[in-house]
Every structure is written in C-alpha cells, then in structure tokens.
Amino acid sequence: MAADLILYTNPMSRGRIARWMLEEVGAEYDTVLLDYAGAMKAPDFLAINPMGKVPAIVHRGQAVTETAAICAYLADAFPNAGLAPREDERALYYRWLFFAAGPLEHAITNRALGASTEGKEQMAGYGSYDRVVDVLEQAVSAHPYIAGERFTAADVYVGSHLMWGLQFGTLPKREAFERYWERLADRDAHKRATALDDAAMPAG
C-alpha cells in the first residue's frame, strides 16, 4: 500500500529543503530517491512532475511541485505544526517566501551563469543582484524570523537559500545573514533532515 505522503528527491538538490520542511511538520512519509541521469526523466516520474525535476511530493494522491509551494502546502496540510502564518504574519510570510522563489533565486542563478542585468534592469523582474542582496539583508534584519517573531515555513525556504549562498559564495557573508542563519541551523528538524540526506549521498 502506498504511503499517504511521498517525497521524491535527490540529496544533491533542492529536495533538501522539502526534507527539512517534512521533518518540521513531523509527518510520516516515504522517500523515493531519483538519479539525474534516468529516473527523473522516466515516464512514471514525469507523470508527477513533467519538468523532470525534484523535489516533488505526493500527498493522498495529489502531486505538489516547486519547492516554495511544497513548503507552503505542508504548512497548511499539517496545521498542528504551527508553521503556517497567523493573520498578522501573512503579509510578510508570502512576501518573502515569493521573493526568495523569484527575485532571489533568479538573481543568484544569473550571476552564477555570468549573466548581468546592467543597463537592462527594467527587463529583469529582480532588477539587479546588488539590489536583491540589499533587500534580503533588510528583510532578515527586521525581525528574528522572516515573518516576525516566530519561525514559519517561510524561514525553511528563505533560510535554505541563505545557507547555500553563504556556503557556496553566491551571497556575500554579511553579519545579518550569518546571524539569521545561526537562529535556524540548530533546529532539531534541520539536523534530522541533514543527517538523512547526508546518509543518502552517493559514495565517493
């Protein structure tokens, strides 16, 4: 019998974000590990995510793709975890969740690919890399957590981008970024998720 909740992932992917979120909500789930060379492009998985990318989850027969959507969905699907926004947190929660999924990810990716928006800021939804970084710094400096005084699903997503940015040098090591990430890194769910994904890494 198939589990109610299945995570499709690869330990060298954004699936680490979905895994962290699953550990935060405390849901029981099965894991299907997919390799980039074949399984992600196989018909069975393309029926779940035609993009042929991970992560994806299937919950009670319904597929959810796109990492930010997975975080938001799980927060709503498991309300007892307390990771969905309260009424007074909703504006900041959605604002910064989608900022990270849009401007932040695009700016970092374009910079890594050597693409510049100089002189073409109006054409790019994020404007410029430097502007995105400055705005992110303001956001993580305004409150202990991205939506206010309390940890939410948006912190899983924003925090993961910030962690990778600091680790791989795609974001500058600003004090505000490091302080914000320190508040998240010690969470038990993050430690569990990291241990599970590290154990699933291919040998060598």
PDB file of all heavy atoms in Angstrom, residues 14 66-69 93-111 117 124-129 131-133 135-136 157-158 161 171:
ATOM      1  N   ARG A  14      17.468  20.671  -4.392  1.00  0.00           N
ATOM      2  CA  ARG A  14      16.581  21.450  -3.520  1.00  0.00           C
ATOM      3  C   ARG A  14      15.656  20.551  -2.720  1.00  0.00           C
ATOM      4  O   ARG A  14      14.911  21.024  -1.864  1.00  0.00           O
ATOM      5  CB  ARG A  14      15.777  22.438  -4.368  1.00  0.00           C
ATOM      6  CG  ARG A  14      16.600  23.552  -4.979  1.00  0.00           C
ATOM      7  CD  ARG A  14      15.798  24.357  -5.992  1.00  0.00           C
ATOM      8  NE  ARG A  14      16.564  25.421  -6.606  1.00  0.00           N
ATOM      9  CZ  ARG A  14      17.400  25.261  -7.622  1.00  0.00           C
ATOM     10  NH1 ARG A  14      17.599  24.050  -8.141  1.00  0.00           N
ATOM     11  NH2 ARG A  14      18.067  26.283  -8.120  1.00  0.00           N
ATOM     12  N   GLU A  66       7.540  22.376  -7.089  1.00  0.00           N
ATOM     13  CA  GLU A  66       8.078  23.711  -6.795  1.00  0.00           C
ATOM     14  C   GLU A  66       8.285  23.830  -5.283  1.00  0.00           C
ATOM     15  O   GLU A  66       7.350  23.739  -4.503  1.00  0.00           O
ATOM     16  CB  GLU A  66       7.206  24.840  -7.329  1.00  0.00           C
ATOM     17  CG  GLU A  66       6.789  24.671  -8.780  1.00  0.00           C
ATOM     18  CD  GLU A  66       7.914  24.219  -9.693  1.00  0.00           C
ATOM     19  OE1 GLU A  66       9.025  24.770  -9.602  1.00  0.00           O
ATOM     20  OE2 GLU A  66       7.689  23.297 -10.495  1.00  0.00           O
ATOM     21  N   THR A  67       9.518  24.039  -4.904  1.00  0.00           N
ATOM     22  CA  THR A  67       9.910  23.909  -3.502  1.00  0.00           C
ATOM     23  C   THR A  67       9.178  24.874  -2.579  1.00  0.00           C
ATOM     24  O   THR A  67       8.759  24.508  -1.482  1.00  0.00           O
ATOM     25  CB  THR A  67      11.432  24.084  -3.354  1.00  0.00           C
ATOM     26  OG1 THR A  67      12.085  23.328  -4.374  1.00  0.00           O
ATOM     27  CG2 THR A  67      11.890  23.595  -2.011  1.00  0.00           C
ATOM     28  N   ALA A  68       9.008  26.113  -3.002  1.00  0.00           N
ATOM     29  CA  ALA A  68       8.277  27.068  -2.166  1.00  0.00           C
ATOM     30  C   ALA A  68       6.832  26.624  -1.983  1.00  0.00           C
ATOM     31  O   ALA A  68       6.261  26.748  -0.887  1.00  0.00           O
ATOM     32  CB  ALA A  68       8.325  28.457  -2.793  1.00  0.00           C
ATOM     33  N   ALA A  69       6.231  26.093  -3.042  1.00  0.00           N
ATOM     34  CA  ALA A  69       4.853  25.606  -2.952  1.00  0.00           C
ATOM     35  C   ALA A  69       4.768  24.415  -2.003  1.00  0.00           C
ATOM     36  O   ALA A  69       3.795  24.283  -1.242  1.00  0.00           O
ATOM     37  CB  ALA A  69       4.336  25.218  -4.335  1.00  0.00           C
ATOM     38  N   TYR A  93       5.023  36.796   5.433  1.00  0.00           N
ATOM     39  CA  TYR A  93       5.234  35.386   5.081  1.00  0.00           C
ATOM     40  C   TYR A  93       5.193  35.192   3.579  1.00  0.00           C
ATOM     41  O   TYR A  93       6.135  34.660   2.980  1.00  0.00           O
ATOM     42  CB  TYR A  93       4.148  34.562   5.776  1.00  0.00           C
ATOM     43  CG  TYR A  93       4.096  33.091   5.456  1.00  0.00           C
ATOM     44  CD1 TYR A  93       4.773  32.163   6.252  1.00  0.00           C
ATOM     45  CD2 TYR A  93       3.319  32.605   4.408  1.00  0.00           C
ATOM     46  CE1 TYR A  93       4.694  30.797   6.005  1.00  0.00           C
ATOM     47  CE2 TYR A  93       3.234  31.245   4.152  1.00  0.00           C
ATOM     48  CZ  TYR A  93       3.915  30.344   4.950  1.00  0.00           C
ATOM     49  OH  TYR A  93       3.823  28.992   4.696  1.00  0.00           O
ATOM     50  N   TYR A  94       4.132  35.644   2.930  1.00  0.00           N
ATOM     51  CA  TYR A  94       4.017  35.455   1.488  1.00  0.00           C
ATOM     52  C   TYR A  94       4.984  36.356   0.725  1.00  0.00           C
ATOM     53  O   TYR A  94       5.538  35.952  -0.304  1.00  0.00           O
ATOM     54  CB  TYR A  94       2.576  35.684   1.029  1.00  0.00           C
ATOM     55  CG  TYR A  94       1.669  34.534   1.401  1.00  0.00           C
ATOM     56  CD1 TYR A  94       0.678  34.685   2.358  1.00  0.00           C
ATOM     57  CD2 TYR A  94       1.834  33.292   0.812  1.00  0.00           C
ATOM     58  CE1 TYR A  94      -0.136  33.632   2.713  1.00  0.00           C
ATOM     59  CE2 TYR A  94       1.018  32.225   1.162  1.00  0.00           C
ATOM     60  CZ  TYR A  94       0.037  32.395   2.114  1.00  0.00           C
ATOM     61  OH  TYR A  94      -0.762  31.345   2.475  1.00  0.00           O
ATOM     62  N   ARG A  95       5.178  37.543   1.236  1.00  0.00           N
ATOM     63  CA  ARG A  95       6.089  38.462   0.550  1.00  0.00           C
ATOM     64  C   ARG A  95       7.475  37.858   0.408  1.00  0.00           C
ATOM     65  O   ARG A  95       8.046  37.804  -0.690  1.00  0.00           O
ATOM     66  CB  ARG A  95       6.163  39.780   1.320  1.00  0.00           C
ATOM     67  CG  ARG A  95       7.137  40.767   0.715  1.00  0.00           C
ATOM     68  CD  ARG A  95       7.221  42.039   1.556  1.00  0.00           C
ATOM     69  NE  ARG A  95       8.133  43.000   0.930  1.00  0.00           N
ATOM     70  CZ  ARG A  95       8.424  44.186   1.453  1.00  0.00           C
ATOM     71  NH1 ARG A  95       7.870  44.563   2.598  1.00  0.00           N
ATOM     72  NH2 ARG A  95       9.256  45.003   0.829  1.00  0.00           N
ATOM     73  N   TRP A  96       8.040  37.371   1.520  1.00  0.00           N
ATOM     74  CA  TRP A  96       9.422  36.914   1.481  1.00  0.00           C
ATOM     75  C   TRP A  96       9.556  35.495   0.963  1.00  0.00           C
ATOM     76  O   TRP A  96      10.586  35.138   0.388  1.00  0.00           O
ATOM     77  CB  TRP A  96      10.075  37.095   2.849  1.00  0.00           C
ATOM     78  CG  TRP A  96      10.098  38.542   3.234  1.00  0.00           C
ATOM     79  CD1 TRP A  96       9.472  39.136   4.296  1.00  0.00           C
ATOM     80  CD2 TRP A  96      10.735  39.604   2.511  1.00  0.00           C
ATOM     81  NE1 TRP A  96       9.686  40.484   4.282  1.00  0.00           N
ATOM     82  CE2 TRP A  96      10.470  40.806   3.199  1.00  0.00           C
ATOM     83  CE3 TRP A  96      11.515  39.662   1.354  1.00  0.00           C
ATOM     84  CZ2 TRP A  96      10.938  42.042   2.773  1.00  0.00           C
ATOM     85  CZ3 TRP A  96      11.988  40.890   0.920  1.00  0.00           C
ATOM     86  CH2 TRP A  96      11.708  42.067   1.630  1.00  0.00           C
ATOM     87  N   LEU A  97       8.526  34.676   1.115  1.00  0.00           N
ATOM     88  CA  LEU A  97       8.538  33.351   0.504  1.00  0.00           C
ATOM     89  C   LEU A  97       8.660  33.473  -1.013  1.00  0.00           C
ATOM     90  O   LEU A  97       9.507  32.823  -1.648  1.00  0.00           O
ATOM     91  CB  LEU A  97       7.256  32.594   0.878  1.00  0.00           C
ATOM     92  CG  LEU A  97       7.109  31.177   0.340  1.00  0.00           C
ATOM     93  CD1 LEU A  97       8.168  30.247   0.923  1.00  0.00           C
ATOM     94  CD2 LEU A  97       5.716  30.642   0.654  1.00  0.00           C
ATOM     95  N   PHE A  98       7.855  34.351  -1.605  1.00  0.00           N
ATOM     96  CA  PHE A  98       7.883  34.503  -3.054  1.00  0.00           C
ATOM     97  C   PHE A  98       9.038  35.384  -3.522  1.00  0.00           C
ATOM     98  O   PHE A  98       9.497  35.250  -4.665  1.00  0.00           O
ATOM     99  CB  PHE A  98       6.534  35.018  -3.562  1.00  0.00           C
ATOM    100  CG  PHE A  98       5.474  33.951  -3.504  1.00  0.00           C
ATOM    101  CD1 PHE A  98       4.534  33.941  -2.486  1.00  0.00           C
ATOM    102  CD2 PHE A  98       5.442  32.938  -4.437  1.00  0.00           C
ATOM    103  CE1 PHE A  98       3.581  32.945  -2.409  1.00  0.00           C
ATOM    104  CE2 PHE A  98       4.494  31.941  -4.382  1.00  0.00           C
ATOM    105  CZ  PHE A  98       3.545  31.933  -3.361  1.00  0.00           C
ATOM    106  N   PHE A  99       9.544  36.253  -2.676  1.00  0.00           N
ATOM    107  CA  PHE A  99      10.764  36.987  -3.000  1.00  0.00           C
ATOM    108  C   PHE A  99      11.922  36.007  -3.188  1.00  0.00           C
ATOM    109  O   PHE A  99      12.713  36.122  -4.133  1.00  0.00           O
ATOM    110  CB  PHE A  99      11.088  37.990  -1.894  1.00  0.00           C
ATOM    111  CG  PHE A  99      12.390  38.722  -2.086  1.00  0.00           C
ATOM    112  CD1 PHE A  99      12.443  39.872  -2.857  1.00  0.00           C
ATOM    113  CD2 PHE A  99      13.555  38.269  -1.479  1.00  0.00           C
ATOM    114  CE1 PHE A  99      13.651  40.560  -3.037  1.00  0.00           C
ATOM    115  CE2 PHE A  99      14.763  38.947  -1.653  1.00  0.00           C
ATOM    116  CZ  PHE A  99      14.804  40.092  -2.437  1.00  0.00           C
ATOM    117  N   ALA A 100      12.018  35.035  -2.281  1.00  0.00           N
ATOM    118  CA  ALA A 100      13.099  34.057  -2.394  1.00  0.00           C
ATOM    119  C   ALA A 100      12.915  33.158  -3.606  1.00  0.00           C
ATOM    120  O   ALA A 100      13.898  32.793  -4.273  1.00  0.00           O
ATOM    121  CB  ALA A 100      13.181  33.220  -1.115  1.00  0.00           C
ATOM    122  N   ALA A 101      11.662  32.793  -3.913  1.00  0.00           N
ATOM    123  CA  ALA A 101      11.403  31.920  -5.058  1.00  0.00           C
ATOM    124  C   ALA A 101      11.581  32.643  -6.388  1.00  0.00           C
ATOM    125  O   ALA A 101      11.877  32.009  -7.405  1.00  0.00           O
ATOM    126  CB  ALA A 101       9.988  31.359  -4.968  1.00  0.00           C
ATOM    127  N   GLY A 102      11.417  33.969  -6.384  1.00  0.00           N
ATOM    128  CA  GLY A 102      11.521  34.732  -7.620  1.00  0.00           C
ATOM    129  C   GLY A 102      12.804  35.529  -7.697  1.00  0.00           C
ATOM    130  O   GLY A 102      13.824  35.034  -8.189  1.00  0.00           O
ATOM    131  N   PRO A 103      12.808  36.780  -7.243  1.00  0.00           N
ATOM    132  CA  PRO A 103      13.990  37.629  -7.388  1.00  0.00           C
ATOM    133  C   PRO A 103      15.288  37.027  -6.852  1.00  0.00           C
ATOM    134  O   PRO A 103      16.319  37.077  -7.517  1.00  0.00           O
ATOM    135  CB  PRO A 103      13.610  38.888  -6.610  1.00  0.00           C
ATOM    136  CG  PRO A 103      12.128  38.951  -6.717  1.00  0.00           C
ATOM    137  CD  PRO A 103      11.656  37.524  -6.665  1.00  0.00           C
ATOM    138  N   LEU A 104      15.241  36.438  -5.650  1.00  0.00           N
ATOM    139  CA  LEU A 104      16.482  35.935  -5.057  1.00  0.00           C
ATOM    140  C   LEU A 104      17.059  34.793  -5.883  1.00  0.00           C
ATOM    141  O   LEU A 104      18.243  34.811  -6.248  1.00  0.00           O
ATOM    142  CB  LEU A 104      16.229  35.483  -3.617  1.00  0.00           C
ATOM    143  CG  LEU A 104      17.446  34.898  -2.889  1.00  0.00           C
ATOM    144  CD1 LEU A 104      18.591  35.893  -2.825  1.00  0.00           C
ATOM    145  CD2 LEU A 104      17.050  34.435  -1.484  1.00  0.00           C
ATOM    146  N   GLU A 105      16.246  33.796  -6.194  1.00  0.00           N
ATOM    147  CA  GLU A 105      16.775  32.653  -6.949  1.00  0.00           C
ATOM    148  C   GLU A 105      17.227  33.075  -8.341  1.00  0.00           C
ATOM    149  O   GLU A 105      18.280  32.643  -8.821  1.00  0.00           O
ATOM    150  CB  GLU A 105      15.733  31.535  -7.040  1.00  0.00           C
ATOM    151  CG  GLU A 105      16.201  30.387  -7.902  1.00  0.00           C
ATOM    152  CD  GLU A 105      15.814  29.023  -7.376  1.00  0.00           C
ATOM    153  OE1 GLU A 105      15.118  28.937  -6.358  1.00  0.00           O
ATOM    154  OE2 GLU A 105      16.225  28.034  -8.012  1.00  0.00           O
ATOM    155  N   HIS A 106      16.473  33.926  -8.997  1.00  0.00           N
ATOM    156  CA  HIS A 106      16.853  34.356 -10.341  1.00  0.00           C
ATOM    157  C   HIS A 106      18.156  35.160 -10.325  1.00  0.00           C
ATOM    158  O   HIS A 106      19.022  34.974 -11.182  1.00  0.00           O
ATOM    159  CB  HIS A 106      15.736  35.188 -10.964  1.00  0.00           C
ATOM    160  CG  HIS A 106      14.496  34.403 -11.231  1.00  0.00           C
ATOM    161  ND1 HIS A 106      13.304  34.987 -11.566  1.00  0.00           N
ATOM    162  CD2 HIS A 106      14.254  33.069 -11.213  1.00  0.00           C
ATOM    163  CE1 HIS A 106      12.382  34.049 -11.738  1.00  0.00           C
ATOM    164  NE2 HIS A 106      12.949  32.885 -11.514  1.00  0.00           N
ATOM    165  N   ALA A 107      18.281  36.050  -9.349  1.00  0.00           N
ATOM    166  CA  ALA A 107      19.483  36.878  -9.273  1.00  0.00           C
ATOM    167  C   ALA A 107      20.725  36.025  -9.031  1.00  0.00           C
ATOM    168  O   ALA A 107      21.770  36.224  -9.655  1.00  0.00           O
ATOM    169  CB  ALA A 107      19.335  37.928  -8.176  1.00  0.00           C
ATOM    170  N   ILE A 108      20.614  35.079  -8.107  1.00  0.00           N
ATOM    171  CA  ILE A 108      21.756  34.215  -7.801  1.00  0.00           C
ATOM    172  C   ILE A 108      22.110  33.342  -9.002  1.00  0.00           C
ATOM    173  O   ILE A 108      23.289  33.185  -9.350  1.00  0.00           O
ATOM    174  CB  ILE A 108      21.449  33.351  -6.559  1.00  0.00           C
ATOM    175  CG1 ILE A 108      21.470  34.233  -5.293  1.00  0.00           C
ATOM    176  CG2 ILE A 108      22.441  32.210  -6.429  1.00  0.00           C
ATOM    177  CD1 ILE A 108      21.046  33.506  -4.034  1.00  0.00           C
ATOM    178  N   THR A 109      21.093  32.766  -9.642  1.00  0.00           N
ATOM    179  CA  THR A 109      21.344  31.889 -10.790  1.00  0.00           C
ATOM    180  C   THR A 109      21.987  32.658 -11.944  1.00  0.00           C
ATOM    181  O   THR A 109      22.980  32.210 -12.537  1.00  0.00           O
ATOM    182  CB  THR A 109      20.040  31.236 -11.262  1.00  0.00           C
ATOM    183  OG1 THR A 109      19.492  30.451 -10.190  1.00  0.00           O
ATOM    184  CG2 THR A 109      20.277  30.341 -12.467  1.00  0.00           C
ATOM    185  N   ASN A 110      21.440  33.812 -12.261  1.00  0.00           N
ATOM    186  CA  ASN A 110      22.004  34.596 -13.364  1.00  0.00           C
ATOM    187  C   ASN A 110      23.448  35.008 -13.093  1.00  0.00           C
ATOM    188  O   ASN A 110      24.297  34.986 -13.990  1.00  0.00           O
ATOM    189  CB  ASN A 110      21.143  35.821 -13.638  1.00  0.00           C
ATOM    190  CG  ASN A 110      19.896  35.479 -14.430  1.00  0.00           C
ATOM    191  OD1 ASN A 110      19.737  34.360 -14.901  1.00  0.00           O
ATOM    192  ND2 ASN A 110      19.008  36.440 -14.574  1.00  0.00           N
ATOM    193  N   ARG A 111      23.713  35.388 -11.859  1.00  0.00           N
ATOM    194  CA  ARG A 111      25.083  35.781 -11.516  1.00  0.00           C
ATOM    195  C   ARG A 111      26.034  34.593 -11.671  1.00  0.00           C
ATOM    196  O   ARG A 111      27.146  34.732 -12.196  1.00  0.00           O
ATOM    197  CB  ARG A 111      25.133  36.325 -10.087  1.00  0.00           C
ATOM    198  CG  ARG A 111      26.509  36.879  -9.680  1.00  0.00           C
ATOM    199  CD  ARG A 111      26.423  37.427  -8.265  1.00  0.00           C
ATOM    200  NE  ARG A 111      27.686  37.912  -7.766  1.00  0.00           N
ATOM    201  CZ  ARG A 111      28.147  39.142  -7.931  1.00  0.00           C
ATOM    202  NH1 ARG A 111      27.428  40.028  -8.600  1.00  0.00           N
ATOM    203  NH2 ARG A 111      29.308  39.501  -7.417  1.00  0.00           N
ATOM    204  N   THR A 117      22.426  42.135 -15.583  1.00  0.00           N
ATOM    205  CA  THR A 117      21.285  42.973 -15.961  1.00  0.00           C
ATOM    206  C   THR A 117      21.674  44.441 -16.070  1.00  0.00           C
ATOM    207  O   THR A 117      20.789  45.297 -16.196  1.00  0.00           O
ATOM    208  CB  THR A 117      20.146  42.829 -14.938  1.00  0.00           C
ATOM    209  OG1 THR A 117      20.612  43.265 -13.649  1.00  0.00           O
ATOM    210  CG2 THR A 117      19.650  41.402 -14.842  1.00  0.00           C
ATOM    211  N   ALA A 124      14.424  42.700 -16.160  1.00  0.00           N
ATOM    212  CA  ALA A 124      14.555  41.612 -15.195  1.00  0.00           C
ATOM    213  C   ALA A 124      13.636  41.867 -14.006  1.00  0.00           C
ATOM    214  O   ALA A 124      13.630  42.961 -13.439  1.00  0.00           O
ATOM    215  CB  ALA A 124      16.001  41.494 -14.721  1.00  0.00           C
ATOM    216  N   GLY A 125      12.905  40.852 -13.630  1.00  0.00           N
ATOM    217  CA  GLY A 125      11.977  41.011 -12.509  1.00  0.00           C
ATOM    218  C   GLY A 125      12.666  41.367 -11.213  1.00  0.00           C
ATOM    219  O   GLY A 125      12.068  41.994 -10.340  1.00  0.00           O
ATOM    220  N   TYR A 126      13.935  40.991 -11.090  1.00  0.00           N
ATOM    221  CA  TYR A 126      14.656  41.272  -9.849  1.00  0.00           C
ATOM    222  C   TYR A 126      15.487  42.544  -9.919  1.00  0.00           C
ATOM    223  O   TYR A 126      16.092  42.947  -8.924  1.00  0.00           O
ATOM    224  CB  TYR A 126      15.539  40.083  -9.468  1.00  0.00           C
ATOM    225  CG  TYR A 126      16.657  39.778 -10.431  1.00  0.00           C
ATOM    226  CD1 TYR A 126      17.888  40.397 -10.306  1.00  0.00           C
ATOM    227  CD2 TYR A 126      16.485  38.848 -11.459  1.00  0.00           C
ATOM    228  CE1 TYR A 126      18.919  40.122 -11.187  1.00  0.00           C
ATOM    229  CE2 TYR A 126      17.513  38.552 -12.335  1.00  0.00           C
ATOM    230  CZ  TYR A 126      18.729  39.194 -12.195  1.00  0.00           C
ATOM    231  OH  TYR A 126      19.746  38.907 -13.061  1.00  0.00           O
ATOM    232  N   GLY A 127      15.569  43.184 -11.052  1.00  0.00           N
ATOM    233  CA  GLY A 127      16.350  44.407 -11.171  1.00  0.00           C
ATOM    234  C   GLY A 127      17.828  44.138 -11.263  1.00  0.00           C
ATOM    235  O   GLY A 127      18.369  43.970 -12.347  1.00  0.00           O
ATOM    236  N   SER A 128      18.504  44.052 -10.124  1.00  0.00           N
ATOM    237  CA  SER A 128      19.935  43.774 -10.107  1.00  0.00           C
ATOM    238  C   SER A 128      20.272  42.888  -8.914  1.00  0.00           C
ATOM    239  O   SER A 128      19.580  42.893  -7.895  1.00  0.00           O
ATOM    240  CB  SER A 128      20.748  45.072 -10.021  1.00  0.00           C
ATOM    241  OG  SER A 128      20.637  45.648  -8.725  1.00  0.00           O
ATOM    242  N   TYR A 129      21.350  42.154  -9.042  1.00  0.00           N
ATOM    243  CA  TYR A 129      21.818  41.283  -7.962  1.00  0.00           C
ATOM    244  C   TYR A 129      22.078  42.091  -6.696  1.00  0.00           C
ATOM    245  O   TYR A 129      21.651  41.704  -5.592  1.00  0.00           O
ATOM    246  CB  TYR A 129      23.086  40.552  -8.405  1.00  0.00           C
ATOM    247  CG  TYR A 129      23.777  39.776  -7.309  1.00  0.00           C
ATOM    248  CD1 TYR A 129      23.406  38.474  -7.019  1.00  0.00           C
ATOM    249  CD2 TYR A 129      24.813  40.359  -6.562  1.00  0.00           C
ATOM    250  CE1 TYR A 129      24.038  37.755  -6.012  1.00  0.00           C
ATOM    251  CE2 TYR A 129      25.455  39.649  -5.558  1.00  0.00           C
ATOM    252  CZ  TYR A 129      25.065  38.353  -5.284  1.00  0.00           C
ATOM    253  OH  TYR A 129      25.686  37.649  -4.283  1.00  0.00           O
ATOM    254  N   ARG A 131      20.841  44.892  -5.672  1.00  0.00           N
ATOM    255  CA  ARG A 131      19.597  45.350  -5.041  1.00  0.00           C
ATOM    256  C   ARG A 131      18.923  44.201  -4.295  1.00  0.00           C
ATOM    257  O   ARG A 131      18.433  44.373  -3.174  1.00  0.00           O
ATOM    258  CB  ARG A 131      18.662  45.928  -6.115  1.00  0.00           C
ATOM    259  CG  ARG A 131      17.293  46.368  -5.589  1.00  0.00           C
ATOM    260  CD  ARG A 131      17.392  47.512  -4.589  1.00  0.00           C
ATOM    261  NE  ARG A 131      17.981  48.684  -5.189  1.00  0.00           N
ATOM    262  CZ  ARG A 131      17.295  49.603  -5.872  1.00  0.00           C
ATOM    263  NH1 ARG A 131      15.992  49.478  -6.044  1.00  0.00           N
ATOM    264  NH2 ARG A 131      17.923  50.667  -6.368  1.00  0.00           N
ATOM    265  N   VAL A 132      18.907  43.028  -4.895  1.00  0.00           N
ATOM    266  CA  VAL A 132      18.299  41.860  -4.247  1.00  0.00           C
ATOM    267  C   VAL A 132      19.003  41.541  -2.933  1.00  0.00           C
ATOM    268  O   VAL A 132      18.364  41.290  -1.904  1.00  0.00           O
ATOM    269  CB  VAL A 132      18.327  40.637  -5.194  1.00  0.00           C
ATOM    270  CG1 VAL A 132      17.991  39.355  -4.440  1.00  0.00           C
ATOM    271  CG2 VAL A 132      17.346  40.832  -6.344  1.00  0.00           C
ATOM    272  N   VAL A 133      20.318  41.561  -2.943  1.00  0.00           N
ATOM    273  CA  VAL A 133      21.087  41.250  -1.736  1.00  0.00           C
ATOM    274  C   VAL A 133      20.808  42.285  -0.641  1.00  0.00           C
ATOM    275  O   VAL A 133      20.617  41.930   0.534  1.00  0.00           O
ATOM    276  CB  VAL A 133      22.592  41.181  -2.056  1.00  0.00           C
ATOM    277  CG1 VAL A 133      23.420  41.091  -0.773  1.00  0.00           C
ATOM    278  CG2 VAL A 133      22.881  39.980  -2.946  1.00  0.00           C
ATOM    279  N   VAL A 135      18.114  44.123  -0.263  1.00  0.00           N
ATOM    280  CA  VAL A 135      16.744  43.959   0.226  1.00  0.00           C
ATOM    281  C   VAL A 135      16.642  42.729   1.128  1.00  0.00           C
ATOM    282  O   VAL A 135      15.964  42.757   2.164  1.00  0.00           O
ATOM    283  CB  VAL A 135      15.760  43.860  -0.963  1.00  0.00           C
ATOM    284  CG1 VAL A 135      14.371  43.447  -0.490  1.00  0.00           C
ATOM    285  CG2 VAL A 135      15.689  45.200  -1.690  1.00  0.00           C
ATOM    286  N   LEU A 136      17.326  41.649   0.761  1.00  0.00           N
ATOM    287  CA  LEU A 136      17.335  40.455   1.611  1.00  0.00           C
ATOM    288  C   LEU A 136      17.942  40.769   2.974  1.00  0.00           C
ATOM    289  O   LEU A 136      17.430  40.323   4.013  1.00  0.00           O
ATOM    290  CB  LEU A 136      18.119  39.339   0.923  1.00  0.00           C
ATOM    291  CG  LEU A 136      18.240  38.029   1.701  1.00  0.00           C
ATOM    292  CD1 LEU A 136      16.882  37.392   1.943  1.00  0.00           C
ATOM    293  CD2 LEU A 136      19.170  37.062   0.967  1.00  0.00           C
ATOM    294  N   TYR A 157      12.381  28.000   3.696  1.00  0.00           N
ATOM    295  CA  TYR A 157      12.732  28.277   2.306  1.00  0.00           C
ATOM    296  C   TYR A 157      13.755  29.397   2.181  1.00  0.00           C
ATOM    297  O   TYR A 157      14.792  29.236   1.533  1.00  0.00           O
ATOM    298  CB  TYR A 157      11.464  28.618   1.520  1.00  0.00           C
ATOM    299  CG  TYR A 157      11.711  28.653   0.037  1.00  0.00           C
ATOM    300  CD1 TYR A 157      11.937  27.484  -0.672  1.00  0.00           C
ATOM    301  CD2 TYR A 157      11.743  29.852  -0.665  1.00  0.00           C
ATOM    302  CE1 TYR A 157      12.186  27.509  -2.031  1.00  0.00           C
ATOM    303  CE2 TYR A 157      11.989  29.892  -2.022  1.00  0.00           C
ATOM    304  CZ  TYR A 157      12.205  28.708  -2.700  1.00  0.00           C
ATOM    305  OH  TYR A 157      12.462  28.738  -4.045  1.00  0.00           O
ATOM    306  N   VAL A 158      13.490  30.519   2.830  1.00  0.00           N
ATOM    307  CA  VAL A 158      14.433  31.637   2.773  1.00  0.00           C
ATOM    308  C   VAL A 158      15.766  31.234   3.399  1.00  0.00           C
ATOM    309  O   VAL A 158      16.841  31.500   2.855  1.00  0.00           O
ATOM    310  CB  VAL A 158      13.860  32.876   3.473  1.00  0.00           C
ATOM    311  CG1 VAL A 158      14.896  33.993   3.526  1.00  0.00           C
ATOM    312  CG2 VAL A 158      12.597  33.359   2.776  1.00  0.00           C
ATOM    313  N   HIS A 161      18.022  29.030   1.140  1.00  0.00           N
ATOM    314  CA  HIS A 161      18.721  29.802   0.110  1.00  0.00           C
ATOM    315  C   HIS A 161      19.892  30.571   0.709  1.00  0.00           C
ATOM    316  O   HIS A 161      20.977  30.649   0.103  1.00  0.00           O
ATOM    317  CB  HIS A 161      17.750  30.777  -0.559  1.00  0.00           C
ATOM    318  CG  HIS A 161      16.888  30.135  -1.597  1.00  0.00           C
ATOM    319  ND1 HIS A 161      17.316  29.905  -2.880  1.00  0.00           N
ATOM    320  CD2 HIS A 161      15.630  29.654  -1.524  1.00  0.00           C
ATOM    321  CE1 HIS A 161      16.349  29.323  -3.570  1.00  0.00           C
ATOM    322  NE2 HIS A 161      15.321  29.154  -2.762  1.00  0.00           N
ATOM    323  N   LEU A 171      26.224  34.338  -2.123  1.00  0.00           N
ATOM    324  CA  LEU A 171      25.785  35.512  -1.368  1.00  0.00           C
ATOM    325  C   LEU A 171      26.963  35.990  -0.533  1.00  0.00           C
ATOM    326  O   LEU A 171      27.763  35.173  -0.059  1.00  0.00           O
ATOM    327  CB  LEU A 171      24.612  35.176  -0.447  1.00  0.00           C
ATOM    328  CG  LEU A 171      23.246  34.970  -1.098  1.00  0.00           C
ATOM    329  CD1 LEU A 171      22.241  34.471  -0.078  1.00  0.00           C
ATOM    330  CD2 LEU A 171      22.745  36.252  -1.751  1.00  0.00           C
TER     331      LEU A 171
END
